[in-house]
């Protein structure tokens, strides 16, 4: 303390010192607080970093698992029930439950209701196990009635593998009404494995009936409308409209000839006479029994007394009138 310093100078010095001490204490407090909060922030950052790492690892593990699942999906094994593929032609019929798969197969095989070999048909979920039906008289041609997709018994997620779709020679995808995402998924799967497939819309008799009731439309109009709708709203390519109630109408006859390619082969138009055993027709199962014995016997090229040429192929005949 300065001897002889005026009192007011001493007092001002004390105040200044107090002020500085207070400022320092405040800074120390702030620093301590900051350090404390930084410490907890550091911990928080570390925790978050660990969480992100764990998530990254989770994502990587999921990616791997997905890859494994995809591989399994692509290379799924032949199902145990699908045996004797050598020397047989296997046609699978798939689609959602209740679209009419079993009835369609019965009609394709011309089996009478409830007769021996009739595939059970019903208003409830009916087909629970893949069941094979040999073509009458052609046991090497096997049609498989597969359970409907999307039921509790047959979940959609594993349907493709469970049904062994890639092992079939041909697959028919049946739907009643619009094609669903499941149908499109099945179609993609078959395309991926290069299995020929056919998109079939069943129950068109009901569509025709409904549209007549609702809009007074005739059959021709309804069929044209359905075709137009399928073309513009369903990216599934060609589809066949069929009715198992009326198998001789709509696209069923064409579908049958498409299904059995031997029937499609061109006959030799210049053959000298009717050639029932021409090479194009020597594959005996080419002519399913949906065609009558008479129609089968008439296949080939004919000429009548007026020089008209008849070329019979499947259920179609090409007539050329010669002068
Ligand atoms: N009107 C009409 N009814 C049909 C047609 N196809 C099937 N049905 C009826 O639809 C119902 C179901 O037919 P199913 O053949 O049992 O169907 P599904 O696809 O085999 O069914 P799940 O075995 O359960 O998958 C039955 O009542 C059939 O009579 C059709 O083209 N027209
Ligand atoms: Mg069925």
């Amino acid at each position: 303390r300065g001897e002889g310093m005026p009192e007011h100078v001493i007092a001002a010095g004390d105040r200044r010192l107090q002020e500085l001490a207070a400022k320092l204490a405040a800074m120390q407090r702030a620093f301590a607080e900051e350090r404390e909060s930084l410490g907890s922030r550091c911990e928080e950052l570390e925790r978050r970093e660990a969480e992100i790492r764990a998530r990254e690892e989770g994502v990587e593990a999921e990616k791997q698992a997905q890859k494994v699942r995809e591989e399994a999906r692509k290379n799924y094994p032949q199902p145990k029930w699908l045996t004797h593929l050598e020397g047989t032609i296997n046609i699978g019929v798939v689609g959602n439950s209740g679209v009419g798969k079993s009835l369609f197969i019965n009609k394709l095989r011309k089996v009478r209701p409830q007769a021996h070999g009739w595939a059970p048909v019903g208003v409830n979920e009916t087909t629970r196990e893949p069941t094979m039906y040999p073509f009458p008289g052609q046991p090497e041609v096997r049609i498989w009635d597969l359970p409907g997709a999307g039921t509790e018994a047959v979940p959609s997620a594993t349907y493709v593998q469970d049904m062994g779709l890639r092992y079939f020679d041909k697959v028919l995808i049946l739907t009643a009404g619009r094609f669903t995402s499941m149908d499109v998924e099945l179609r993609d799967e078959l395309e991926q494995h290069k299995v020929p497939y056919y998109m079939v819309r069943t129950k068109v008799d009901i569509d025709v009936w409904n549209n007549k009731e609702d809009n007074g439309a005739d059959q021709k109009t309804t069929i044209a409308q359905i075709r137009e709708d399928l073309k513009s709203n369903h990216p599934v390519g060609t589809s066949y409209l069929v009715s198992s109630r009326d198998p001789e109408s709509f696209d069923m006859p064409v579908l049958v000839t498409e299904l059995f390619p031997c029937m499609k082969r061109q006959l030799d138009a210049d053959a000298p006479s009717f050639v029932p055993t021409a090479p194009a027709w020597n594959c005996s199962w080419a002519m399913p029994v949906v065609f009558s014995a008479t129609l089968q016997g008439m296949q080939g090229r004919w000429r009548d007394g007026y020089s008209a040429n008849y070329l019979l192929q499947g259920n179609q005949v090409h007539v050329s009138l010669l002068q």
Side-chain angles (χ1 to χ4, degrees):
R1 293 232 173 194
E3 279 291 312
M5 247 187 215
E7 267 311 302
H8 71 276
V9 176
I10 293 169
D14 279 350
R15 270 201 310 279
R16 173 117 186 93
L17 203 62
Q18 272 166 14
E19 271 169 28
L20 283 176
K23 261 191 191 157
L24 179 66
M27 271 174 80
Q28 279 169 337
R29 261 199 319 276
F31 182 73
E33 269 169 28
E34 190 126 325
R35 193 167 54 188
E36 206 162 283
S37 79
L38 198 67
S40 66
R41 278 224 304 276
C42 269
E43 269 168 32
E44 170 70 9
L45 282 178
E46 268 168 26
R47 197 184 60 71
R48 291 231 302 264
E49 203 179 12
E51 199 177 304
I52 287 169
R53 253 202 314 274
R55 274 176 197 229
E56 274 171 359
E57 280 164 16
V59 168
E60 197 47 45
E62 180 53 33
K63 258 194 209 158
Q64 284 301 329
Q66 199 166 331
K67 224 167 149 185
V68 169
R69 276 203 301 275
E70 251 165 40
E71 279 300 305
R73 203 186 133 94
K74 266 194 225 141
N75 306 316
Y76 49 85
Q78 191 173 326
K80 285 195 178 62
W81 45 265
L82 187 55
T83 53
H84 304 99
L85 291 184
E86 275 295 288
T88 58
I89 289 170
N90 292 274
I91 300 173
V93 180
V94 293
N96 287 306
S97 184
V99 296
K101 298 180 291 299
S102 302
L103 189 58
F104 175 86
I105 291 174
N106 289 327
K107 295 296 167 175
L108 204 60
R109 297 170 63 242
K110 281 243 163 154
V111 181
R112 285 201 200 90
Q114 311 308 328
H116 177 70
W118 168 261
V121 169
V123 287
N124 297 320
E125 192 188 329
T126 317
T127 313
R128 288 175 177 272
E129 297 291 332
T131 315
M132 186 271 281
Y133 295 93
F135 223 95
Q138 306 296 338
E140 66 274 32
V141 180
R142 311 194 303 172
I143 303 184
W144 289 87
D145 189 1
L146 303 172
T151 63
E152 225 173 292
V154 191
S156 313
T158 53
Y159 190 73
V160 162
Q161 291 110 293
D162 295 345
M163 298 302 133
L165 287 194
R166 71 187 181 110
Y167 295 97
F168 284 92
D169 296 296
K170 291 153 196 243
V171 172
L172 293 142
I173 302 176
L174 264 55
T175 181
R178 296 151 181 82
F179 285 103
T180 63
S181 55
M182 180 74 209
D183 301 318
V184 175
E185 203 180 302
L186 292 173
R187 192 270 321 253
D188 292 349
E189 171 71 16
L190 294 166
E191 255 182 14
Q192 196 183 338
H193 290 295
K194 304 201 168 32
V195 178
Y197 64 89
Y198 303 82
M199 306 300 285
V200 182
R201 175 160 165 160
T202 60
K203 306 192 188 184
V204 289
D205 57 305
I206 297 182
D207 293 321
V208 167
W209 188 82
N210 280 339
N211 211 19
K212 189 169 174 54
E213 288 291 306
D214 297 336
N215 303 310
D218 62 12
Q219 175 171 311
K220 212 168 144 204
T221 311
T222 304
I223 295 298
Q225 280 175 357
I226 296 176
R227 282 198 207 284
E228 191 45 47
D229 175 64
L230 286 175
K231 213 156 65 196
S232 47
N233 295 329
H234 298 267
V236 293
T238 311
S239 26
Y240 299 83
L241 309 185
V242 307
S243 161
S244 298
R245 291 264 167 269
D246 193 2
E248 303 299 325
S249 302
F250 307 107
D251 295 340
M252 184 80 134
V254 177
L255 176 59
V256 171
T257 54
E258 297 282 324
L259 259 181
F260 300 101
C262 292
M263 294 172 64
K264 263 181 72 182
R265 285 206 206 137
Q266 289 300 316
L267 287 171
D268 176 8
D270 297 322
S273 62
F274 175 53
V275 191
T277 53
W281 296 97
N282 66 1
C283 119
S284 59
W285 61 267
M287 186 57 69
V289 289
V290 287
F291 294 118
S292 67
T294 314
L295 194 52
Q296 291 193 41
M298 284 165 65
Q299 297 298 309
R301 181 175 175 271
W302 297 82
R303 176 176 288 196
D304 68 12
Y306 305 96
S307 295
N309 266 332
Y310 300 86
L311 195 58
L312 254 95
Q313 192 179 357
N315 65 346
Q316 301 195 342
V317 58
H318 181 88
V319 185
S320 37
L321 302 170
L322 304 174
Q323 286 302 326

